Amino acid sequence: MSVPRPRRIRTRLESGERATGIVIQLPSPDIVEIAGHLGYDYAWIDAEHGSLGLPEIRELIRGADAVGMDSVVRVADHEPSFIQRVLDLGATGIMAPHVRTVDDARRISSAVRYSPVGVRGACPGVRAVGHVSADWPADYVRADRDVLVFGLIEDIEGVENAEAIARDGRLDGLVFGPFDLAMALGLDGDVAHPDLKKLHDRVVDACKAAGIEYVTANLAWEFGALENTGSRIVTIAGDRAAVYEGCARALAAFNGDTTTKAGAF
C-alpha cells in the first residue's frame, strides 16, 4: 500500500488554524523530534545557510516524519535537480530564496510537480513513496496536490514585482525576507527599520489580493500583530537561537547576571 506522508500545514489551514514551525540549521534530528513532541507543525530545514547536505537533510526529514511534522526545505537556489532530490527524500515542500520575477516563481512551481504539469523527474523508487511505489498514479497525483512551494521576497526587484508574483507565480505563499532587504537598503541588517515596513506591507497586501498565504519567516522580525498580516503559517523559533539562549540563560543564572541579551534567530 502507499505510504502516507505528513500533511500538517494543509490540515491546519483546512481546519482554519495556524501552523507553527521552527527553523532547523543544525544537523540534529533530535531537535526536530523535540519540536514535534512539543507540538510544532513543521520544520523549516535551512539548506541555504549553514552546512546541511543531502544526507543531513534526509535524516532531518526522517526526524520530522517520526513525529508527524511537515518538512519544508529552504533550498539554496532555484536548481530543479536539487528541488527534485529533496522532494524525493520526502520533504513536504520547498522554500526558494530570492524570487524576483514571475518567471522565477513559475520555474520553481514547475520544478515541484510532475509532467505534464511540471518538469519534476518521475521515479517510483524513492523514499517519498516508501522506497517502492505500490500505486504510482495515486502517489504522483497526491504529491502534486499536497506539495507546498513558497517563495522568499528578499530583493528590491522581488518587492517591486510582488503583486505579479503573488497573482501569477503559481506559488502557495510568499515569505518576506527582511534581513537581505535591510542589507540591500544599506541598513546593516536592521530588520526593525521603518523603511522596511512599507516593503513588508506591500508583500502582505499582495498575498491577500492574490488569495495565497503570507508565511511568517520569523515572528520576532514581524511588524505588528499577526492579525494585521493574516499569516497562518508562522515560524516562531530557530534551533541555533534556542540552544544559544538556553545556554546563555543557564550561564547567566549561575553567574547572577540578569543582563544577558537574547540572540536574533
Side-chain angles (χ1 to χ4, degrees):
M1 61 183 294
S2 297
V3 177
R5 304 294 310 154
R7 198 176 178 276
R8 285 281 286 276
I9 293 174
R10 287 199 181 277
T11 298
R12 289 287 193 202
L13 299 184
E14 289 164 0
S15 300
E17 302 173 310
R18 285 197 177 106
T20 56
I22 179 171
V23 174
I24 300 294
Q25 292 183 319
L26 303 175
S28 173
D30 288 351
I31 293 178
V32 176
E33 290 181 334
I34 289 169
H37 288 308
L38 287 171
Y40 285 80
D41 297 302
Y42 65 90
W44 165 0
I45 299 170
D46 191 351
E48 181 185 14
H49 299 289
S51 59
L52 300 178
L54 283 170
E56 291 84 10
I57 293 169
R58 178 192 63 213
E59 296 311 305
L60 293 170
I61 293 171
R62 279 183 172 152
D65 288 348
V67 287
M69 293 173 73
D70 280 351
S71 50
V72 178
V73 178
R74 177 178 176 173
V75 294
D77 51 38
H78 303 172
E79 179 57 49
S81 63
F82 188 81
I83 292 172
Q84 172 185 303
R85 294 180 79 183
V86 299
L87 293 176
D88 283 353
L89 288 175
T92 307
I94 62 107
M95 183 182 297
H98 300 290
V99 177
R100 300 179 176 93
T101 67
V102 172
D103 285 344
D104 285 346
R106 287 186 172 181
R107 281 192 293 269
I108 295 159
S109 176
S110 181
V112 306
R113 292 179 174 87
Y114 294 105
S115 298
V117 176
V119 298
R120 179 180 174 185
C123 178
V126 295
R127 184 181 180 276
V129 295
H131 299 285
V132 176
S133 174
D135 186 350
W136 175 248
D139 283 336
Y140 91 78
V141 168
R142 180 180 60 195
D144 277 359
R145 179 193 66 219
D146 287 348
V147 67
L148 291 166
V149 55
F150 304 125
L152 270 156
I153 304 298
E154 49 189 346
D155 305 274
I156 298 300
E157 185 181 5
V159 175
E160 292 174 345
N161 292 321
E163 293 82 6
I165 292 169
R167 183 181 63 247
D168 302 323
R170 302 170 186 162
L171 303 178
D172 293 294
L174 298 182
V175 190
F176 182 71
F179 205 84
D180 276 300
L181 278 164
M183 294 299 291
L185 292 172
L187 302 176
D188 301 327
D190 180 3
V191 297
H193 197 282
D195 288 354
L196 284 178
K197 187 176 188 305
K198 184 183 295 185
L199 308 184
H200 166 271
D201 291 351
R202 182 170 177 178
V203 174
V204 170
D205 290 344
C207 291
K208 290 179 178 178
I212 66 172
E213 300 296 327
Y214 172 72
V215 181
T216 300
N218 183 341
L219 186 58
W221 291 356
E222 278 293 307
F223 293 90
L226 282 175
E227 287 70 21
N228 297 334
T229 66
S231 181
R232 302 190 298 167
I233 304 172
V234 186
T235 309
I236 61 176
D239 57 356
R240 287 188 190 274
V243 172
Y244 179 95
E245 292 170 10
C247 291
R249 282 195 299 268
L251 184 61
F254 180 78
N255 291 328
D257 178 9
T258 60
T259 63
T260 299
K261 185 177 180 179
F265 201 72

